[in-house]
Amino acid sequence: MKKTMPLLQRESVSDHTSKLERLFEDELKDIYWAEKALVRALPKLLRNVTSEELYKVLEDHLTETEDQVVRIEGVFATLGKEPKAKKCEAMAGLIREAEAIMSHTQLGAMRDAGIISAVQKVEHYEMASYGTLRTFASTLGLDKAVSLLQENLDEERAADSKLSELAVSAIHFEAAER
Ligand SMILES: [Fe+2]
Ligand SMILES: [Fe+2]
């Protein structure tokens, strides 16, 4: 005799899926807002950087961030949805924090070190978001979305590790200047 899932259980599975899909879409709106806010905020950080290496890392990451916005639009497309942004309070706070660091430091090695620390917090928020989104997409069987989100996650990780290397040299530079 063919085994079939009880009706109630079948309904609860599809209910569960649609709830997860809603959560996925909500989180996607959040990171979409965050990435677009970063496209606007990074040029201001660039104007405050003195280290050439840091400038290059942030400039490259600005280009990547613009590509990430396009990939997120691709993820919305896999859901058959128009891309929509919802204000991400966490990212708004992290950007405010970066602005505060710039206003409390003088142009030079100290401000560079402060910018590195602020951007690394941003990268970690993004890594956490993309890690979760990728897991949700994989649970929902959205293979194309999984690979788009993985690409964004890989770029955030790479940017974070480049910044970690620069943080070490920025601290050494500051110590040598004293
Ligand atoms: Fe990003
Ligand atoms: Fe990033």
Side-chain angles (χ1 to χ4, degrees), residues 7-75:
L7 184 61
L8 195 63
Q9 204 177 332
R10 259 189 286 160
E11 277 178 356
S12 81
V13 167
S14 78
D15 194 37
H16 189 76
T17 304
S18 77
K19 277 181 186 156
L20 183 63
E21 209 172 284
R22 263 204 306 280
L23 185 59
F24 178 69
E25 200 186 330
D26 270 357
E27 294 284 320
L28 202 58
K29 288 176 183 170
D30 174 287
I31 197 72
Y32 189 49
W33 187 96
E35 295 289 14
K36 293 211 294 183
L38 288 167
V39 168
R40 291 191 300 272
L42 281 167
K44 190 178 174 191
L45 297 187
L46 279 168
R47 287 195 292 276
N48 279 273
V49 161
T50 45
S51 150
E52 272 177 38
E53 293 135 293
L54 177 57
Y55 191 94
K56 178 85 179 86
V57 169
L58 293 183
E59 192 184 37
D60 289 350
H61 199 51
L62 171 58
T63 308
E64 286 174 342
T65 304
E66 287 162 351
D67 294 341
Q68 290 171 359
V69 168
V70 176
R71 284 191 207 108
I72 296 172
E73 288 165 356
V75 177

Side-chain angles (χ1 to χ4, degrees), residues 35 38 42 61 65 68 119 122-123 126 130 155-156 159:
E35 295 289 14
L38 288 167
L42 281 167
H61 199 51
T65 304
Q68 290 171 359
V119 178
V122 166
E123 297 316 316
E126 292 179 303
Y130 285 123
E155 284 180 351
E156 311 299 13

Side-chain angles (χ1 to χ4, degrees), residues 127-138:
M127 281 151 61
S129 300
Y130 285 123
T132 304
L133 279 164
R134 185 203 48 194
T135 305
F136 285 178
S138 148

Side-chain angles (χ1 to χ4, degrees), residues 14 35 45 48 52 81 83 90 103 107 118 148 150 157 164 167:
S14 78
E35 295 289 14
L45 297 187
N48 279 273
E52 272 177 38
K81 299 274 166 88
S103 67
L107 197 68
L148 289 167
Q150 184 68 52
R157 279 187 182 146
S164 287

Side-chain angles (χ1 to χ4, degrees), residues 125-166:
Y125 181 85
E126 292 179 303
M127 281 151 61
S129 300
Y130 285 123
T132 304
L133 279 164
R134 185 203 48 194
T135 305
F136 285 178
S138 148
T139 306
L140 291 164
L142 302 167
D143 296 345
K144 175 74 185 152
V146 170
S147 73
L148 289 167
L149 294 162
Q150 184 68 52
E151 274 185 78
N152 283 12
L153 177 59
D154 291 343
E155 284 180 351
E156 311 299 13
R157 279 187 182 146
D160 179 59
S161 71
K162 282 181 208 157
L163 289 166
S164 287
E165 285 169 31
L166 287 179

